[in-house]
Amino acid sequence: MAELLKDKVALITGGSSGIGRATALACAREGARVAVADIATAGGQETARLITQAGGEAIFIQADMTKATELEAMVNTVVETYGRLDCAHNNAGIEGALGKTAVYEEAAWEQVIAINLTGVWLCMKYEIPAMLTNGGGAIVNTASAAGLLGVPNMPAYAASKHGVVGLTRTAALEYAKAGVRVNAVCPGIIQTPMVSRLTGERPGMFEKIATAEPIGRVGKPEEIAESVVWLCSDAASFVTGHAMSVDGGIVAQ
Ligand code: NAP
């Protein structure tokens, strides 16, 4: 089988866990050299180890999505290590506190927006110039079905993910002629530690959200990873500014 990302260098944020780890493994399987970035060191090192154990090339870079200096250093480290940056999956994110709009705490709001939205913008701020120096690249931002629909009790999360969709479309238009494609993936409910945190302490909640999926089950991180690999690859060479739902049909309802 052809390797979709042969000779490419891919950076994945939130690569210690869940969707990010699955994407890092899938990018490596498709021939990319992979930089795994996350605030969580042990999980990120484990993702890199899984890649090298399978015969791939990977490094781990610790970076906090709320710190611009760390994100600039993250991109610089990728370029210093591998000589270029071709693909970036800006994926790190948190669900944040739950609560209706009128009672939501300001500090909780700011934390979600800082990581999920400002963090994605800052990643692109440093990734795009690095990509332009080698003629272009592909960025995939992780939005959510919550970037296309309202989600009661998650005002900051839904706002951050709607913001990611708008930012993705804007950057796509700005850099289309320069050869940088920018897309978003909008996952439905995916079985990751994030969803375990949201459902874990509430009996019956996991089963309830699974039935909310038209397809009749929650998704697997690997099912998001496959769409990210495709969007990053030259197979998607005419796709930019797209918010791709990979959601078991939630947004189609
Ligand atoms: P996850 O397993 O919790 O992975 C998220 C990763 O991001 C974790 O390793 C986390 O580290 C890291 N992270 C959190 N804050 C960070 C920060 N400030 N700087 C750097 N890294 C940070 O969750 P996931 O479900 O894979 O989520 C990945 C992305 O998919 C998120 O953007 C999420 O919003 C989105 N998404 C998920 C679903 C779903 O159903 N799972 C649906 C739609 C969209 P810690 O573990 O240390 O916090």
Side-chain angles (χ1 to χ4, degrees):
M1 199 175 81
E3 292 179 311
L4 279 173
L5 302 180
K6 188 170 164 45
D7 298 330
K8 293 192 191 290
V9 173
L11 165 66
I12 291 106
T13 76
S16 295
S17 175
I19 291 168
R21 173 176 286 175
T23 303
L25 295 173
C27 287
R29 182 200 70 207
E30 293 298 329
R33 289 173 288 165
V34 175
V36 177
D38 205 293
I39 200 167
T41 306
Q45 288 172 338
E46 174 63 6
T47 303
R49 192 192 65 77
L50 289 167
I51 290 171
T52 50
Q53 184 180 276
E57 264 188 74
I59 54 166
F60 170 67
I61 304 166
Q62 190 182 26
D64 181 342
M65 296 302 128
T66 67
K67 299 204 166 76
T69 51
E70 294 188 16
L71 299 179
E72 185 175 21
M74 169 185 80
V75 172
N76 287 341
T77 301
V78 178
V79 174
E80 280 158 20
T81 306
Y82 292 130
R84 54 193 292 130
L85 176 65
D86 302 291
C87 313
H89 182 204
N90 299 319
N91 165 78
I94 60 166
E95 68 280 18
L98 301 182
K100 286 187 183 171
T101 300
V103 298
Y104 210 77
E105 296 285 342
E106 200 173 331
W109 171 275
E110 282 171 358
Q111 187 198 24
V112 173
I113 298 297
I115 296 172
N116 292 9
L117 179 56
T118 311
V120 168
W121 165 61
L122 285 170
C123 284
M124 290 204 290
K125 182 179 166 80
Y126 299 112
E127 291 160 357
I128 289 169
M131 289 177 175
L132 291 175
T133 62
N134 49 273
I139 293 173
V140 181
N141 297 319
T142 301
S144 172
L148 304 170
L149 302 168
V151 185
N153 292 311
M154 298 185 85
Y157 186 79
S160 72
K161 295 302 186 177
H162 277 71
V164 168
V165 171
L167 182 59
T168 297
R169 290 177 175 147
T170 298
L173 295 175
E174 291 168 342
Y175 294 98
K177 286 197 173 62
V180 179
R181 294 184 298 103
V182 188
N183 292 290
V185 65
C186 298
I189 302 158
I190 310 300
Q191 179 64 75
T192 69
M194 177 182 285
V195 164
S196 301
R197 281 192 300 274
L198 282 168
T199 61
E201 280 151 33
R202 290 181 289 170
M205 184 54 77
F206 185 78
E207 293 70 21
K208 189 174 164 199
I209 61 168
T211 59
E213 278 284 10
I215 213 163
R217 63 171 176 84
V218 300
K220 294 181 274 193
E222 293 76 14
E223 292 175 303
I224 306 303
E226 294 306 324
S227 63
V228 176
V229 164
W230 183 77
L231 286 168
C232 282
S233 77
D234 295 340
S237 53
F238 204 54
V239 182
T240 196
H242 182 43
M244 179 188 275
S245 292
V246 186
D247 68 355
I250 282 185
V251 171
Q253 294 175 105

